[in-house]
Amino acid sequence: MSPATTLVVGAGYAGSVMARELADAGRQVLVIDKRPHIAGNAYDELDAHGVLVHRYGPHIFHTNGQRIFEYLSRFTAWRPYEHRVRGVVDGVAYPFPINRDTLNRLYGLELDEAGAAAFFERVREPREPALTSEDVVLNSVGRDLYEKFFLNYTRKQWGLDPSQLKAGVAARIPVRTNSDDRYFTDTWQVMPLHGYTKMFEAMLDHPLITVELGVDFAAVRRRGGFGHVVYTGPIDAYFGHRYGPLPYRSLRFEHEHLAGVAQYQDTGTVNYPNDHAYTRITEFKHLTGQQHAGTSIVREYPQAEGDPYYPVPRAENEALFKRYEELSKHEGGVTFVGRLAQYRYYNMDQVVGAALVTARHLLA
Ligand code: FAD
Ligand code: UDP
């Protein structure tokens, strides 16, 4: 490898967008990933039965960023898809995020929009300022809905109480007084027409980009000989966990194919806040629009050990991250970007945005 080559560690959104931007600017780039495939956690593939599934759990693309949507549109066509979710409480599936219909069905009411707003006003427990995820939910929907839909789901997902998590985690979920039962309301809600992996293949298909899979940074680092490094893995691992491990939450994915079952559930995802060891079940055909005589689903079981999937947003972890970030500022010749390297609960579009900005700075 020549010192003129930029080494990109990780072939997910952060690494692939960086690689493409640098290559488009005339740089020679080597992308490595320790996994045997590109696309990071967005990787999708046909399962043994020919159904397109997301190996690392459901990925639904949504953004308000026109620039981000247009950027990715260079590499894929799209299909419109609006995600819908139900939350099961006492055996009944309710619209989630909580909206007017959730209230009406749960409590046997006939509220209109103004009625729903008045209902929330009556039951909410004002918390000013709302610092934790518990504050956020109690402040908007009060204790009963908190306990039915949020408390146990959050304990399962994070192994923590909502009071131990920053406000931003629960603030991802809106509360509605109308009957809109979409999970997202972003301007662009679309899925790559031929899947995420194909989109990444197109992004990395460039004469100045070489991709090597099944290669760990540790091995390349020992060999040396490369120029600038773009690192998108966990930041604590880069520094040998010098200050101790940064907590990341992991998941175990249980994939299942149901032969001869055309549809397993009514919506893309069903959440189980209070039952089971898994948090949710996703049926992929809703997301992809694929026609198939059978169907494939995935259950997500949260766990502490395993591949790092989520940074854990709480004050003490962010303080530890800041110490690693300080180290990273003095690490000449290395750029840190992405969900694991920046320890941010980023959605896909936010990672694309972060990588585009980072690439622009690097090239300036
Ligand atoms: P990653 O995709 O994690 O890529 C990092 C890559 O670096 C990995 O492939 C890893 O193997 C590689 N790597 C790490 N260390 C090394 C090393 N030492 N050597 C070589 N390679 C290394 N976002 C949405 O917008 N919508 C969704 O619906 C959505 N659903 C999600 C569901 C789940 C279950 C999860 C976990 C995430 C979801 N996300 C979703 C978030 C999305 O996955 C991330 O925002 C995005 O994939 C992050 O991209 P990244 O490049 O930063 O990291
Ligand atoms: N959440 C919850 N109940 C639900 C869905 C979400 O309590 O039925 C909380 C939980 O803390 C979760 C957070 O809201 O981690 C964010 O949910 P989201 O669906 O955005 O999580 P992701 O898709 O990133 O796993």
Side-chain angles (χ1 to χ4, degrees):
M1 202 189 314
S2 116
T5 301
T6 300
L7 174 66
V8 174
V9 180
Y13 277 96
S16 299
V17 170
M18 288 294 292
R20 181 65 189 218
E21 286 297 280
L22 297 178
D24 279 346
R27 304 267 184 104
Q28 186 78 45
V29 183
L30 171 64
V31 180
I32 60 166
D33 202 300
K34 64 182 179 185
R35 290 170 169 169
H37 59 73
I38 58 170
N41 287 337
Y43 177 69
D44 56 13
E45 60 185 338
L46 294 181
D47 68 11
H49 309 273
V51 179
L52 186 64
V53 301
H54 301 173
R55 187 185 287 184
Y56 305 100
H59 279 70
I60 296 111
F61 188 81
H62 56 100
T63 191
N64 287 316
Q66 179 166 0
R67 194 173 51 94
I68 290 162
F69 172 70
E70 283 171 359
Y71 184 78
L72 292 178
S73 300
R74 287 170 57 190
F75 311 112
T76 186
W78 304 98
R79 78 176 280 268
Y81 172 68
E82 294 185 324
H83 194 50
R84 286 184 167 75
V85 175
R86 299 286 179 256
V88 174
V89 173
D90 296 330
V92 180
Y94 297 98
F96 190 84
I98 294 169
N99 67 13
R100 179 166 77 96
D101 297 326
T102 314
L103 298 181
N104 285 340
R105 286 180 210 165
L106 188 60
Y107 298 117
L109 302 170
E110 291 182 17
L111 303 172
D112 57 12
E113 274 203 61
F119 181 95
F120 289 133
E121 200 47 53
R122 197 166 59 247
V123 298
R124 68 187 281 262
E125 293 181 14
R127 300 277 169 119
E128 302 288 344
L131 297 176
T132 70
S133 280
E134 181 187 64
D135 292 339
V136 166
V137 181
L138 289 177
N139 188 52
S140 52
V141 300
R143 191 159 299 271
D144 192 50
L145 292 165
Y146 169 72
E147 287 177 354
K148 285 187 162 70
F149 288 93
F150 289 91
L151 178 60
N152 296 323
Y153 187 104
T154 300
R155 285 182 172 158
K156 219 181 336 183
Q157 168 71 9
W158 300 97
L160 294 169
D161 202 86
S163 63
Q164 297 172 289
L165 286 161
K166 294 196 75 173
V169 176
R172 291 168 62 87
I173 311 294
V175 176
R176 305 200 181 111
T177 53
N178 60 20
S179 291
D180 189 348
D181 68 341
R182 296 171 303 162
Y183 209 58
F184 310 109
T185 51
D186 300 48
T187 306
W188 290 278
Q189 301 185 50
V190 287
M191 297 288 287
L193 189 58
H194 304 293
Y196 289 102
T197 305
K198 287 271 184 277
M199 178 177 80
F200 276 83
E201 280 171 9
M203 209 183 309
L204 292 168
D205 180 15
H206 189 289
L208 292 178
I209 298 178
T210 307
V211 179
E212 288 183 15
L213 299 173
V215 177
D216 197 301
F217 177 49
V220 181
R221 199 178 203 176
R222 279 193 295 274
R223 272 206 316 271
F226 42 81
H228 196 86
V229 176
V230 174
Y231 181 83
T232 76
I235 189 167
D236 58 335
Y238 179 92
F239 292 106
H241 305 103
R242 193 177 303 179
Y243 301 137
L246 258 178
Y248 293 91
R249 192 67 172 162
S250 192
L251 295 170
R252 177 170 66 81
F253 301 102
E254 185 182 84
H255 286 271
E256 188 182 351
H257 180 76
L258 303 159
V261 177
Q263 193 183 85
Y264 175 76
Q265 58 191 26
D266 290 341
T267 52
T269 297
V270 177
N271 290 355
Y272 293 90
N274 309 312
D275 317 297
H276 310 296
Y278 50 84
T279 48
R280 58 188 179 188
I281 299 181
T282 297
E283 181 175 17
F284 291 105
K285 280 165 58 179
H286 287 282
L287 280 55
T288 59
Q290 186 179 356
Q291 302 294 314
H292 195 288
T295 195
S296 294
I297 61 174
V298 66
R299 298 181 178 86
E300 296 172 57
Y301 294 83
Q303 55 186 31
E305 302 307 319
D307 276 357
Y309 291 126
Y310 294 83
V312 183
R314 52 190 311 213
E316 63 209 74
N317 299 347
E318 278 165 21
L320 180 56
F321 166 69
K322 286 284 171 214
R323 297 182 69 197
Y324 281 113
E325 190 184 35
E326 206 44 47
L327 284 180
S328 75
K329 287 181 190 154
H330 303 289
E331 189 74 358
V334 185
T335 300
F336 295 82
V337 60
R339 174 148 144 150
L340 305 172
Q342 295 180 271
Y343 205 68
R344 294 217 185 120
Y345 194 169
Y346 273 148
N347 294 323
M348 295 183 278
D349 63 319
Q350 295 170 305
V351 178
V352 173
L356 288 174
V357 169
T358 305
R360 198 189 311 136
H361 287 159
L362 193 57
L363 289 165

